[in-house]
Amino acid sequence: MTLIRVVNPNTTASMTALIGTSARAVAGPGVTVEAVNPDMGPASIESHYDEALAVPGLLAEIIAGERAGADGYVVACFGDPGLDAAREIATGPVVGIAEAAMHAAMLVGRGFSVVTTLGRTAGRARDLAQRYAPAGACRGVHACEIPVLELETDPAVLPRVVALAREALDRDGSDVIVLGCAGMAGFCAEVSQRIGAPVIDGVTAATLLVQSLVGLGLRTSRRDEYAVPPPKPFTGLLAGFAIK
Amino acid sequence: MTLIRVVNPNTTASMTALIGTSARAVAGPGVTVEAVNPDMGPASIESHYDEALAVPGLLAEIIAGERAGADGYVVACFGDPGLDAAREIATGPVVGIAEAAMHAAMLVGRGFSVVTTLGRTAGRARDLAQRYAPAGACRGVHACEIPVLELETDPAVLPRVVALAREALDRDGSDVIVLGCAGMAGFCAEVSQRIGAPVIDGVTAATLLVQSLVGLGLRTSRRDEYAVPPPKPFTGLLAGFAIK
Amino acid sequence: MTLIRVVNPNTTASMTALIGTSARAVAGPGVTVEAVNPDMGPASIESHYDEALAVPGLLAEIIAGERAGADGYVVACFGDPGLDAAREIATGPVVGIAEAAMHAAMLVGRGFSVVTTLGRTAGRARDLAQRYAPAGACRGVHACEIPVLELETDPAVLPRVVALAREALDRDGSDVIVLGCAGMAGFCAEVSQRIGAPVIDGVTAATLLVQSLVGLGLRTSRRDEYAVPPPKPFTGLLAGFAIK
Amino acid sequence: MTLIRVVNPNTTASMTALIGTSARAVAGPGVTVEAVNPDMGPASIESHYDEALAVPGLLAEIIAGERAGADGYVVACFGDPGLDAAREIATGPVVGIAEAAMHAAMLVGRGFSVVTTLGRTAGRARDLAQRYAPAGACRGVHACEIPVLELETDPAVLPRVVALAREALDRDGSDVIVLGCAGMAGFCAEVSQRIGAPVIDGVTAATLLVQSLVGLGLRTSRRDEYAVPPPKPFTGLLAGFAIK
Amino acid sequence: MTLIRVVNPNTTASMTALIGTSARAVAGPGVTVEAVNPDMGPASIESHYDEALAVPGLLAEIIAGERAGADGYVVACFGDPGLDAAREIATGPVVGIAEAAMHAAMLVGRGFSVVTTLGRTAGRARDLAQRYAPAGACRGVHACEIPVLELETDPAVLPRVVALAREALDRDGSDVIVLGCAGMAGFCAEVSQRIGAPVIDGVTAATLLVQSLVGLGLRTSRRDEYAVPPPKPFTGLLAGFAIK
Amino acid sequence: MTLIRVVNPNTTASMTALIGTSARAVAGPGVTVEAVNPDMGPASIESHYDEALAVPGLLAEIIAGERAGADGYVVACFGDPGLDAAREIATGPVVGIAEAAMHAAMLVGRGFSVVTTLGRTAGRARDLAQRYAPAGACRGVHACEIPVLELETDPAVLPRVVALAREALDRDGSDVIVLGCAGMAGFCAEVSQRIGAPVIDGVTAATLLVQSLVGLGLRTSRRDEYAVPPPKPFTGLLAGFAIK
């Protein structure tokens, strides 16, 4: 019995529900997916500021997951916030959805383009591509300029994403489209069908990567960088995060 | 029901059997693993020459797999021979074991070292790392100088691999060890236990990555580079490979 | 009259005092240096976890600085935590001490080595070097394995840092040493004198870089990535961070 | 007396003849050029699949060349198929035409663009540029979408290549054009004259590089990667390739 | 009392005057700026040839500066000619204006574009970006095709630079504009105001970087590469440059 | 009839004679090699300062070569001084000896190490490797610490170079040795024989590369960067260099 905890690091419950549904749809038999979100932090993540302030809530959910015996974790925001910190405190593997989507994209094509929400997040997507992928794999980042919380309701999203994805394939010479927001998970199949090329949603990709790592018996290496943090005092609002 | 065809590109049946056992041990419920090897080509792959001449046999096994309705493929030699060509002719995803091992390694640590058979293959391992991973992820390649076909029988293998792995972690500052030969699959758990760090065997990693890609409904992109090859005449010994 | 706010992102006041003294020693006439630290978060920063949880406090100090009319900011922890987020909300320039030290190092030599506290932070130092410097500029990261909060009191620090610095110059072929912790600021001059090579302390370097940027009339670009974050609700412990 | 064996790895004799004529036109006094092609494999090379299946025939021609006392070899297909394997078994130097063309291009300009046949081969050209050239040297790959075997007869080739080459110089900011197919050798001089910039044909460039290496007394290093392959059994169709 | 010697490496005195005015406008209290130019070499620097022949004059001005007790130097031509040589013979720090501008740009944005004079100098700008900045920081180099010596008098310069800068921000996705010629220093403020993004002039940036390095007590490292040149005979026109 | 002008950029005639002898030994029939050196500048090149001051003399020799109808040029100092400038003013191709040696090395092995004179020149060698070769090709630079002008007379040179070369092959994992000074040309064959691996002397390699480029009818591209320099006044000592 494997328990995968999928953490949506923003505080919007409807988005968490959507993410949970996506993850459960691909999880194998014997795998329980628990989709959660913190009760502190921003309602959506659309800036470095939002991202930084989503991390304490994310870490609280990892800590809670450890108490609940989770076998692995998905960080379900395309900026992969707090991924390194989460790896230090989780017993099992932790995978970010940008990381998972980029890994999957590289397995079904030579180059990919990211289609994301706001243009201001493109820099973060490029930073992550540089961290996860060899030079040249990520060939473009394109923004539909629709805020995260309007993805569920704005009818313009699907046609906009399809148009951007088509343009990205042609202009960037890419083979694969990566969706740059957990809130786009629901569009994955339809966009793929319309553009005739693989489209990757990071939530499902990360869920199966975590399931695979658990299946392989692999955990984050405890050597150096991801060793358990040294204990020390924490004060003020964040006093509860102290590790003893 | 998912059929994954694991192709050992050399002609040594005992190694194929070992590879099949490893792959089956991790495959999920509902997944059938078929381990095969070609009947043409070299008995082991330890040079560019061997690798080049293993590819026709590998491709023959992919073609046979297509007829058998395989949903995806593992190329089970650490040089990932013929991977690009296999992707052009396979309907489902194809993953190489070096590719899979390096992907998995990057998910459980910041840097990995490869422990392989002969030093002469280190260049190929470095080439593959450059293709699959960002600069700096692969921090070293170390050879135990034991030929592939002696891995099963030489009692020196395990202690040699353990010693090399320990040294690699320290000297390279790596977090994770990648085993650089399909024939080392059987040592994975024990080496990991002895060195206290994650050790990755590509056969099992690739099997679960293929299973995951199939689960995500992802196939190799048919745009440009991996489109089906144009039909044309083939002559001589290889006439049977012509695509109509 | 220029006001530079130097934010020590941990909560240890004695370290803040030391940092303030260093910064003031180099600030030009007409420049006021205000050294502060948050009242929430970890007492020192020695892991990704510590770093992530130091960021809310850092951002609170930036917000307070904006109200106080600060012209620019120094982030005085060698991991440069929260730098991107701080740039989004600060009117004036924000410089991290790792960033400043690496910039300065590249102006007085071709290659530098970092001498830092704990080995587990070396990965972060390498990440930052990759972000700030061309490939090959950072030639090594070396840890004295003395915790941050013992730097002020442990008599072994100076000889250990001198020995590591000498070794780094020779083994890495470096020209310059970068001190990898704000808490090492006090050792800068003496280490330099003993090893006969430039040694950079990021606190002083960052203070003068911020002063220079202010002098040039340069502020963080508001295009795309560093635009002011979009307003949205924040909840729970962090509700006070909402931007209206 | 120097014997250079130029191997066209496809089975199309008319193309071999064209290649031989080009090579002979530049070879120095005292150099004999022998242009050959295998009798097994594909009629042209336009996919990874074709390329993989051209390699056994290429290697057979290298083996035959060794018996004939060849002093060096040209691999006359722009994908440089089997280059590493050929180097392991040849006594003298082996140069690929993509390799040679890119080397020559870098000696007469700062950046080059490749004009090739089918767009699906552009990925291979980019891979080779990454192997042979520093980052930034190859600034674009452009396809005329005319199949290899129509290059000799389709009157649209020359104007199409000229137009693409002009566009590539302007759009990519390149100084030099590299022709991306051995079958384009005949157009080299005229394209250069029309666009007013250097145009490189890899067949002639490789012939003179091999001649130069022979003149310098240089052979492929036998250390590690290019050592003679270890002997082992080969079976089936490819049994004849066994090295004793 | 700090003496900064700003060397315009061409022989055009009116440009030297302009550069001196810019530098003095930002220099701190207690800093004397001396702007000089050699009496040998080219009237402007618009080619590698010009640049190479400007270096002896530049070095003569560094030698003169050493006699005059200069504390640091600015090389005030965007090609940063002779920077490495100047560092070997100067006691204090030496900063080039391309170097300074790119450093400053990276502190106020993620990516910058260069707007320069002639297109033929773009290659040099790209080379310098590769030397000073991480991959991806310099996102484009754009030329207004106005010669250096017409910058002061041609009324088309300002509108042309503004138009190019706007286009560069949009097309390259850059946050910051770097002016690619010392002769553009006078336009910096106005271009910035019109395009609504930071614009960097290297002369002022370099002046404050040198002032900062002097303030930090930092000098060029004397280890290996920048050690004082070994003494030896010089002959002919350049005999006066011999170091005893 | 082809005239190749080999320019030793230092003023030491005995070294020029040695260089000429090496070049003539490999030049093909119908090729005349003219070895020259300037009458101005340093007696040897062992620093950036020497290199910068050798360039005017080098350019004077290129200008003289143009008048003499030279078909191509070799810049015979391992720092490749003035190469870009020479390309702007020469009608035929210009190749540096570091450039040629690194090109040749990449054709006979996967990685090379440089064995040079003084350690202070290692930075320049690394810079050139970064310009000419893909990342990872140059695996080390090793100095024998014997000054250039003692290479001809010091009996310790050969054993020192052999020892360093052996060590470099082992420690760097290189396949090929590149000699890092024109003055080492005479040792090439003997070092190669003793270490059992290819050893490259740049003088002979460059001579044959220039001969090959001339044979291919290739000249430096005149687009953008290497266009003829714009005419302008030159003053003082260097007035004679003005281009009309």
Side-chain angles (χ1 to χ4, degrees):
Chain A
M1 196 54 180
T2 298
L3 174 61
I4 298 179
R5 195 168 174 94
V6 178
V7 186
N8 168 20
N10 73 34
T11 59
T12 300
S14 63
M15 202 164 149
T16 309
L18 176 79
I19 287 167
T21 304
S22 290
R24 272 175 216 109
V26 298
V31 174
T32 301
V33 167
E34 198 175 20
V36 298
N37 63 255
D39 57 8
M40 67 173 118
S44 65
I45 300 177
E46 298 171 319
S47 63
H48 294 292
Y49 182 82
D50 292 346
E51 190 177 309
L53 291 163
V55 173
L58 168 85
L59 296 177
E61 293 302 322
I62 302 284
I63 292 167
E66 288 298 290
R67 282 193 298 261
D71 295 289
Y73 300 87
V74 170
V75 176
C77 166
F78 199 78
D80 291 359
L83 184 59
D84 285 324
R87 282 184 174 148
E88 290 175 333
I89 58 171
T91 307
V94 187
V95 175
I97 67 169
E99 186 179 41
M102 292 181 190
H103 274 257
M106 290 188 284
L107 296 172
V108 295
R110 294 302 302 278
F112 61 86
S113 296
V114 177
V115 173
T116 189
T117 53
L118 304 187
R120 65 176 300 150
T121 67
R124 178 71 181 161
R126 279 192 293 259
D127 284 354
L128 293 176
Q130 191 170 22
R131 173 166 171 176
Y132 301 137
C138 177
R139 297 185 181 162
V141 181
H142 306 262
C144 64
E145 301 299 354
I146 296 174
V148 172
L149 296 181
E150 298 176 21
L151 288 175
E152 289 183 60
T153 54
D154 187 338
V157 175
L158 182 62
R160 197 90 68 87
V161 168
V162 167
L164 267 180
R166 279 198 185 114
E167 200 187 320
L169 291 175
D170 286 341
R171 217 194 310 156
D172 302 345
S174 288
D175 307 312
V176 182
I177 296 296
V178 163
L179 296 179
C181 180
M184 289 177 173
F187 304 113
C188 186
E190 189 156 357
V191 178
S192 178
Q193 197 192 358
R194 291 214 201 163
I195 66 170
V199 177
I200 319 259
D201 157 51
V203 173
T204 49
T207 302
L208 288 186
L209 281 184
V210 169
Q211 177 183 309
S212 296
L213 294 172
V214 171
L216 294 165
L218 289 172
R219 297 174 167 191
T220 302
S221 178
R222 284 293 176 223
R223 288 180 63 85
D224 295 331
E225 188 163 351
Y226 291 138
V228 173
K232 70 188 48 166
F234 278 65
T235 52
L237 279 186
L238 301 172
F241 284 93
I243 290 182
K244 275 116 198 179
Chain B
M1 195 57 180
T2 296
L3 174 60
I4 298 179
R5 195 170 173 93
V6 178
V7 186
N8 169 19
N10 73 35
T11 59
T12 300
S14 63
M15 202 164 148
T16 308
L18 176 80
I19 286 168
T21 303
S22 290
R24 270 175 219 109
V26 298
V31 175
T32 301
V33 167
E34 199 176 18
V36 297
N37 63 255
D39 56 8
M40 67 172 117
S44 66
I45 300 178
E46 297 171 321
S47 63
H48 294 291
Y49 182 82
D50 292 344
E51 192 177 307
L53 292 162
V55 173
L58 167 86
L59 296 176
E61 292 303 321
I62 303 284
I63 291 167
E66 289 296 291
R67 282 196 298 262
D71 295 290
Y73 300 86
V74 171
V75 177
C77 166
F78 199 78
D80 290 358
L83 185 60
D84 286 323
R87 282 184 175 148
E88 291 176 333
I89 59 171
T91 307
V94 187
V95 174
I97 66 168
E99 186 180 41
M102 292 181 190
H103 274 258
M106 291 188 284
L107 296 172
V108 295
R110 293 303 301 279
F112 61 86
S113 296
V114 177
V115 173
T116 189
T117 53
L118 303 187
R120 63 176 301 151
T121 68
R124 178 71 181 161
R126 279 193 293 258
D127 285 354
L128 293 176
Q130 192 170 22
R131 174 167 170 175
Y132 302 138
C138 177
R139 298 185 180 161
V141 181
H142 307 261
C144 64
E145 300 299 355
I146 296 173
V148 172
L149 297 181
E150 297 176 22
L151 289 175
E152 290 183 59
T153 54
D154 186 337
V157 175
L158 183 62
R160 196 90 66 89
V161 168
V162 167
L164 268 179
R166 276 198 187 115
E167 200 187 321
L169 291 176
D170 286 341
R171 219 197 306 157
D172 302 344
S174 288
D175 308 311
V176 183
I177 295 296
V178 163
L179 297 178
C181 180
M184 288 177 174
F187 304 114
C188 187
E190 189 156 357
V191 178
S192 177
Q193 196 192 359
R194 290 215 201 161
I195 66 170
V199 177
I200 319 259
D201 155 51
V203 173
T204 49
T207 302
L208 287 186
L209 281 185
V210 170
Q211 177 183 308
S212 296
L213 294 172
V214 171
L216 294 166
L218 288 172
R219 295 172 168 194
T220 303
S221 178
R222 284 293 177 222
R223 290 181 62 86
D224 295 330
E225 188 163 350
Y226 291 137
V228 174
K232 70 187 50 166
F234 277 65
T235 52
L237 279 186
L238 300 172
F241 283 93
I243 289 183
K244 274 116 199 179
Chain C
M1 196 56 180
T2 297
L3 174 60
I4 298 180
R5 194 168 174 94
V6 178
V7 187
N8 168 21
N10 73 34
T11 59
T12 300
S14 63
M15 202 164 147
T16 309
L18 176 79
I19 287 168
T21 302
S22 291
R24 269 175 219 111
V26 297
V31 175
T32 301
V33 168
E34 198 174 19
V36 298
N37 63 255
D39 57 8
M40 67 173 117
S44 65
I45 301 179
E46 297 172 320
S47 64
H48 294 291
Y49 181 83
D50 292 345
E51 191 177 309
L53 291 163
V55 173
L58 167 86
L59 296 177
E61 292 303 321
I62 303 284
I63 291 168
E66 289 297 291
R67 281 195 297 261
D71 294 289
Y73 300 87
V74 170
V75 177
C77 166
F78 199 78
D80 291 357
L83 184 60
D84 286 323
R87 282 183 175 150
E88 291 175 333
I89 58 171
T91 307
V94 187
V95 174
I97 66 168
E99 185 179 44
M102 293 182 189
H103 274 257
M106 292 189 283
L107 295 173
V108 294
R110 293 303 301 279
F112 61 86
S113 295
V114 177
V115 173
T116 188
T117 53
L118 303 187
R120 63 176 300 150
T121 68
R124 178 70 182 162
R126 280 192 293 260
D127 285 355
L128 293 176
Q130 191 169 23
R131 173 167 173 176
Y132 302 136
C138 177
R139 298 186 179 161
V141 181
H142 306 262
C144 65
E145 301 299 356
I146 296 173
V148 173
L149 297 182
E150 297 176 20
L151 289 175
E152 289 182 60
T153 53
D154 187 336
V157 175
L158 182 62
R160 197 90 66 88
V161 168
V162 167
L164 268 179
R166 278 198 185 113
E167 200 187 321
L169 290 176
D170 285 341
R171 218 197 308 156
D172 302 345
S174 287
D175 308 312
V176 182
I177 295 297
V178 163
L179 296 179
C181 180
M184 288 177 173
F187 305 114
C188 188
E190 187 154 0
V191 178
S192 178
Q193 196 193 359
R194 291 213 201 163
I195 67 171
V199 176
I200 320 261
D201 155 51
V203 173
T204 49
T207 302
L208 288 187
L209 281 184
V210 169
Q211 177 183 310
S212 295
L213 294 172
V214 171
L216 294 166
L218 289 173
R219 295 174 168 193
T220 302
S221 178
R222 284 292 176 223
R223 288 180 63 86
D224 296 331
E225 188 163 349
Y226 291 137
V228 174
K232 69 187 51 167
F234 278 66
T235 52
L237 280 185
L238 301 172
F241 284 93
I243 289 183
K244 274 114 198 181
Chain D
M1 196 57 180
T2 297
L3 173 61
I4 298 179
R5 196 169 173 93
V6 178
V7 186
N8 168 20
N10 74 34
T11 59
T12 300
S14 62
M15 202 163 147
T16 309
L18 177 78
I19 287 168
T21 303
S22 291
R24 270 175 219 109
V26 298
V31 175
T32 301
V33 168
E34 198 175 19
V36 298
N37 64 254
D39 56 8
M40 67 173 117
S44 64
I45 300 178
E46 298 171 320
S47 64
H48 294 292
Y49 182 82
D50 292 345
E51 191 176 309
L53 292 162
V55 173
L58 168 86
L59 296 176
E61 293 301 323
I62 303 284
I63 291 167
E66 289 297 291
R67 283 194 297 261
D71 295 290
Y73 300 86
V74 170
V75 176
C77 166
F78 199 79
D80 290 359
L83 185 59
D84 286 324
R87 282 183 175 150
E88 291 175 332
I89 59 170
T91 307
V94 187
V95 174
I97 65 169
E99 186 179 41
M102 293 182 190
H103 273 258
M106 291 188 283
L107 296 173
V108 293
R110 294 302 302 278
F112 62 85
S113 296
V114 177
V115 173
T116 188
T117 53
L118 304 187
R120 65 176 300 150
T121 67
R124 178 71 181 160
R126 278 192 293 259
D127 284 355
L128 293 176
Q130 191 170 22
R131 174 167 170 175
Y132 301 138
C138 177
R139 297 186 180 161
V141 181
H142 306 262
C144 64
E145 300 300 353
I146 296 173
V148 173
L149 296 182
E150 296 176 21
L151 289 175
E152 288 182 59
T153 54
D154 187 336
V157 175
L158 182 63
R160 197 89 68 88
V161 168
V162 167
L164 268 179
R166 278 197 186 114
E167 200 187 321
L169 291 176
D170 286 341
R171 217 196 309 157
D172 302 346
S174 287
D175 307 312
V176 182
I177 295 297
V178 163
L179 297 179
C181 180
M184 288 177 174
F187 304 114
C188 187
E190 188 155 358
V191 178
S192 178
Q193 196 192 359
R194 290 215 202 163
I195 66 170
V199 176
I200 319 261
D201 156 52
V203 173
T204 48
T207 301
L208 287 187
L209 281 184
V210 169
Q211 176 183 309
S212 296
L213 294 171
V214 172
L216 294 166
L218 289 173
R219 297 174 166 190
T220 303
S221 178
R222 285 293 176 222
R223 288 181 64 86
D224 295 330
E225 189 163 348
Y226 292 137
V228 174
K232 69 187 52 166
F234 278 65
T235 52
L237 280 186
L238 301 173
F241 284 92
I243 289 183
K244 275 117 199 179
Chain E
M1 194 56 179
T2 298
L3 173 62
I4 298 179
R5 194 169 173 95
V6 178
V7 186
N8 168 22
N10 73 35
T11 59
T12 300
S14 63
M15 203 164 148
T16 309
L18 176 79
I19 286 168
T21 303
S22 290
R24 270 175 219 111
V26 298
V31 175
T32 301
V33 168
E34 197 175 19
V36 297
N37 63 256
D39 56 8
M40 67 173 117
S44 65
I45 301 178
E46 298 171 319
S47 64
H48 293 291
Y49 182 83
D50 292 345
E51 190 176 310
L53 291 164
V55 174
L58 168 86
L59 295 177
E61 293 303 321
I62 302 284
I63 291 167
E66 288 297 292
R67 281 195 298 260
D71 295 289
Y73 300 86
V74 170
V75 177
C77 165
F78 199 79
D80 290 359
L83 184 60
D84 285 323
R87 282 184 175 148
E88 290 176 332
I89 58 170
T91 307
V94 187
V95 174
I97 66 169
E99 185 179 43
M102 293 181 189
H103 274 257
M106 291 189 283
L107 295 173
V108 294
R110 294 303 302 279
F112 61 86
S113 296
V114 177
V115 173
T116 189
T117 53
L118 304 187
R120 64 177 299 150
T121 67
R124 178 70 182 161
R126 280 192 293 260
D127 285 355
L128 292 176
Q130 192 169 22
R131 172 166 172 176
Y132 301 137
C138 177
R139 297 184 179 162
V141 181
H142 306 262
C144 65
E145 300 299 355
I146 296 174
V148 172
L149 296 182
E150 297 175 22
L151 288 175
E152 288 183 60
T153 53
D154 186 337
V157 176
L158 182 62
R160 197 89 68 86
V161 168
V162 167
L164 267 179
R166 278 198 185 113
E167 200 186 321
L169 291 176
D170 286 341
R171 218 196 308 157
D172 302 345
S174 287
D175 307 312
V176 182
I177 295 297
V178 163
L179 297 179
C181 180
M184 289 177 172
F187 304 114
C188 187
E190 188 155 359
V191 178
S192 177
Q193 196 193 359
R194 291 213 201 163
I195 67 171
V199 176
I200 320 259
D201 156 52
V203 173
T204 50
T207 302
L208 288 186
L209 281 184
V210 169
Q211 177 183 309
S212 296
L213 294 172
V214 171
L216 294 166
L218 289 172
R219 296 174 169 191
T220 303
S221 179
R222 285 293 176 223
R223 288 180 64 86
D224 295 332
E225 188 164 349
Y226 291 137
V228 174
K232 70 188 50 167
F234 278 66
T235 51
L237 279 185
L238 301 172
F241 283 93
I243 289 183
K244 276 114 197 181
Chain F
M1 195 55 180
T2 296
L3 173 61
I4 297 179
R5 194 169 173 93
V6 178
V7 186
N8 168 21
N10 74 34
T11 58
T12 300
S14 63
M15 202 164 149
T16 308
L18 176 80
I19 287 168
T21 303
S22 291
R24 270 176 217 109
V26 298
V31 175
T32 301
V33 168
E34 197 175 19
V36 298
N37 63 254
D39 56 8
M40 67 174 116
S44 65
I45 301 177
E46 297 172 319
S47 64
H48 294 291
Y49 181 81
D50 291 345
E51 190 177 309
L53 291 163
V55 173
L58 168 87
L59 295 176
E61 292 303 321
I62 302 284
I63 291 167
E66 288 297 291
R67 282 194 299 261
D71 295 289
Y73 300 86
V74 170
V75 177
C77 165
F78 200 78
D80 290 358
L83 184 59
D84 286 322
R87 282 184 174 148
E88 290 176 333
I89 57 171
T91 307
V94 187
V95 174
I97 67 168
E99 186 179 41
M102 292 182 190
H103 274 258
M106 291 188 283
L107 296 171
V108 295
R110 293 303 301 278
F112 61 86
S113 296
V114 177
V115 174
T116 189
T117 52
L118 303 187
R120 62 177 300 150
T121 68
R124 178 71 181 162
R126 279 192 294 259
D127 285 354
L128 293 176
Q130 191 169 21
R131 173 166 171 176
Y132 301 137
C138 176
R139 297 187 180 161
V141 181
H142 306 262
C144 64
E145 301 299 355
I146 296 173
V148 172
L149 296 182
E150 297 176 21
L151 289 175
E152 290 183 59
T153 53
D154 186 337
V157 176
L158 182 63
R160 197 89 67 87
V161 168
V162 167
L164 268 179
R166 277 198 186 114
E167 200 187 321
L169 291 176
D170 286 341
R171 218 197 307 158
D172 302 345
S174 288
D175 308 312
V176 182
I177 295 297
V178 163
L179 296 179
C181 179
M184 289 177 172
F187 305 112
C188 187
E190 188 156 357
V191 179
S192 177
Q193 196 192 358
R194 291 213 200 164
I195 67 171
V199 177
I200 319 260
D201 156 51
V203 173
T204 49
T207 302
L208 287 186
L209 281 184
V210 169
Q211 177 182 311
S212 296
L213 293 172
V214 171
L216 294 166
L218 288 172
R219 295 174 169 191
T220 302
S221 178
R222 284 292 176 223
R223 288 180 62 86
D224 296 331
E225 188 163 349
Y226 291 138
V228 174
K232 70 188 49 165
F234 277 65
T235 51
L237 279 186
L238 301 172
F241 284 93
I243 290 183
K244 275 113 197 183

